[in-house]
Amino acid sequence: MINNFKTKLLLSIVAFFLVSTSAIAALIVNPAQPITHSVSVQPVIVSDNDGSNTATFFGNPGQQSIIEGFVDNIWAQAGIDVKFLAANTWDNSFANFGNSLPRPQSDLNQLLSDGASAGVLNANPNVINLFFVNIPAGFSQLGLNFAAGYALIGENGISQYVGSNLLSFRAGQEAIATVVAHEIGHNFGLIHTNTLNFPEGNANLMWSGIEGPSNRTGQLLNSSQITTALSSRFVTPVPLPAAVWLFGSALLTLFGMKRRIGKSLMSRSQI
């Protein structure tokens, strides 16, 4: 009963993370593992009702490729490939800015409900929906040198802000990728490490820039976090490539031929 209560309580908690370029250096991650699993992310880019004030996404195609590559590098520590799907767009002023400041944390749940009604969520419940908005749930208006996110723990849904000034230089792109990777971690079921005394300290991906010092020094994941992430319903095993199956089939065929040749030689020697 106690464990079940704790689990339900954890799933009801939301977590947020804020970072500026002064709080992050180059990516510091563990060596990449063989990719055995993948997760799909559905970006939803939000504008006002009239199509104005569109939230910043990942920039131009080149910038987008770099940022998504950084997110992939972070989660490759766990052998997880992060696949960003083609973005959906949504004209909804409330979704973009909310009605009051600081924006209530409960607005993320409203985003998910309204987004489902509007048909902008991915039809697959195991695809993570990532809303790009001008004011994320739990925050007030932020500057253009900041990235911030707010996510459900162990459940589907992220409210994300990207400051446009971060798009044009590497440290800014790394800051965006770190926030996005961090919030994906919350959807996987990971919580902030600040109070857990993990040896990685503020070099851990799940270190919070709000609950503790924001001098992040890396994006490391430890073995227990990787185990939790791989058990998430959003993470699916990656099928072996066709070439691997063909290679395995060829080996079996070769093994079978050797056995037949061996049996034939034995038969001849007994004649």
Side-chain angles (χ1 to χ4, degrees):
M1 287 294 292
I2 294 177
N3 289 335
N4 289 337
F5 173 76
K6 287 183 177 179
T7 300
K8 291 179 181 178
L9 179 62
L10 177 62
L11 295 180
S12 69
I13 296 174
V14 286
F16 52 83
F17 176 56
L18 170 70
V19 71
S20 70
T21 54
S22 63
I24 191 168
L27 292 181
I28 297 177
V29 295
N30 293 310
Q33 300 300 309
I35 298 301
T36 58
H37 293 75
S38 68
V39 59
S40 294
V41 178
Q42 177 64 68
V44 180
I45 305 173
V46 182
S47 305
D48 284 351
N49 291 338
D50 60 2
S52 64
N53 295 317
T54 301
T56 302
F57 181 39
F58 287 160
N60 62 42
Q63 294 164 339
Q64 179 178 348
S65 177
I66 291 170
I67 294 168
E68 292 180 359
F70 285 149
V71 176
D72 247 350
N73 289 343
I74 293 170
W75 279 106
Q77 299 174 89
I80 299 174
D81 175 39
V82 182
K83 299 178 179 179
F84 288 90
L85 306 178
N88 292 336
T89 58
W90 186 21
D91 294 343
N92 186 303
S93 297
F94 168 77
N96 203 13
F97 286 95
N99 291 331
S100 61
L101 298 178
R103 192 167 186 182
Q105 299 172 0
S106 59
D107 273 10
L108 176 53
N109 291 319
Q110 192 65 48
L111 278 172
L112 291 164
S113 177
D114 292 350
S117 298
V120 298
L121 303 188
N122 195 282
N124 184 343
N126 293 329
V127 171
I128 292 175
N129 294 286
L130 174 57
F131 298 95
F132 288 83
V133 298
N134 272 296
I135 300 181
F139 288 89
S140 294
Q141 186 73 58
L142 295 168
L144 300 181
N145 292 317
F146 287 85
Y150 193 77
L152 296 173
I153 295 179
E155 296 294 331
N156 194 332
I158 300 170
S159 176
Q160 178 72 43
Y161 169 76
V162 172
S164 59
N165 286 357
L166 302 180
L167 294 171
S168 60
F169 59 103
R170 182 182 175 92
Q173 295 161 349
E174 290 171 350
I176 296 168
T178 297
V179 178
V180 172
H182 176 105
E183 301 307 335
I184 290 173
H186 282 315
N187 278 185
F188 286 164
L190 302 183
I191 61 176
H192 287 153
T193 60
N194 305 47
T195 59
L196 299 181
N197 296 318
F198 282 163
E200 302 86 10
N202 61 352
N204 194 286
L205 174 67
M206 301 311 296
W207 185 270
S208 169
I210 294 294
E211 293 180 353
S214 60
N215 56 330
R216 174 176 300 278
T217 59
Q219 297 79 22
L220 300 175
L221 291 166
N222 58 46
S223 58
S224 65
Q225 290 172 316
I226 291 173
T227 298
T228 298
L230 291 176
S231 67
S232 167
R233 67 182 175 91
F234 302 112
V235 176
T236 57
V238 175
L240 286 174
V244 175
W245 289 113
L246 290 174
F247 179 70
S249 177
L251 288 178
L252 289 174
T253 301
L254 181 62
F255 178 71
M257 290 177 62
K258 287 183 176 179
R259 289 190 63 185
R260 287 196 296 271
I261 292 172
K263 287 183 177 180
S264 177
L265 290 175
M266 288 178 61
S267 297
R268 291 179 183 180
S269 65
Q270 292 173 356
I271 295 174

